[in-house]
Amino acid sequence: MTESGWVEVGRGVFQRRYKPMDVSVIVVVGPTGLTVVDTRNNPAEAEEIVRDVDARFGRPIVAVVNTHAHYDHTFGNQTFAALPSVPVYGHHRIPQHFAEYEAPRLAAQQADPSREPDKDWADVVLTPPDVLVTTRATLVVGGRTLELIPLDPGHTDTDLAVLVPDCRVWLLGDVIEESGPPMFGSGSYPFTWPTVLAGLLDAIRPGDVIVPGHGAVVDRDFVVRQMEGLQKVADTIRASVTAGTSLQDLPADHDLFGLWPEVMLESAFSRGADQLGG
Ligand SMILES: [Zn+2]
């Protein structure tokens, strides 16, 4: 994935898929500067972005956007925050989400790296965005217009859609995933996630390009299919909770098992049951 380098997915909008995790980093090229969307897993990985961006585009980075709070999209923030005059934009709830999920997880891993040995977090200093986005905003950065759209709770309660209106490219973070099923992880909202996608579909036009947080670009029809799958999860959780049954009571050939690994469904069911329980 990394070998393929930067792929132009719309005029002057480039995606690069980085290992580990096949995470998308996007650069929006403007006449006077670059906006980088998402910052990877740690400062060393973020420094690699800075080097790759410099080698490919040779223009200054003038802004950074986080699509949501999860570590694979924000733990490189400190590298960009240290650059002169580079604002980092993100959903206004990221500081709360960090306090609830990322901060304790990072502290536990740094105290005992054997807890999550695949994570290279020794040098991470949790760095929330310094510009918190509360309502839809139109920005002109580096001479290019971007729309930042804070979403209702879905993949997380910190999801922020980015639209590059002049070429109709959407950067949706993990609200949509292509290289694997969309993940029900820390702080997901299985009941409202499909509604969030329905709202986005009202604005996404046929022919628009959608860049997921992980994987290759997709089209509007893919978003429709992912919304339908997420709706099926939501409906099944609701029916199970109402009936007093659990994931383990679903028949082994239930079609959800063809869409998500069981461990992820367990996470969705436990989040859903908590949310229905009020
Ligand atoms: Zn992710």
Side-chain angles (χ1 to χ4, degrees), residues 48-71:
E48 187 182 28
I49 299 173
V50 172
R51 286 195 302 274
D52 289 349
V53 164
D54 191 48
R56 175 66 179 79
F57 304 104
R59 286 180 208 186
I61 295 169
V62 293
V64 169
V65 181
N66 292 143
T67 58
H68 61 293
H70 282 164
Y71 65 86

Side-chain angles (χ1 to χ4, degrees), residues 68 72-73 174 214:
H68 61 293
D72 47 328
H73 305 262
D174 294 1
H214 302 266

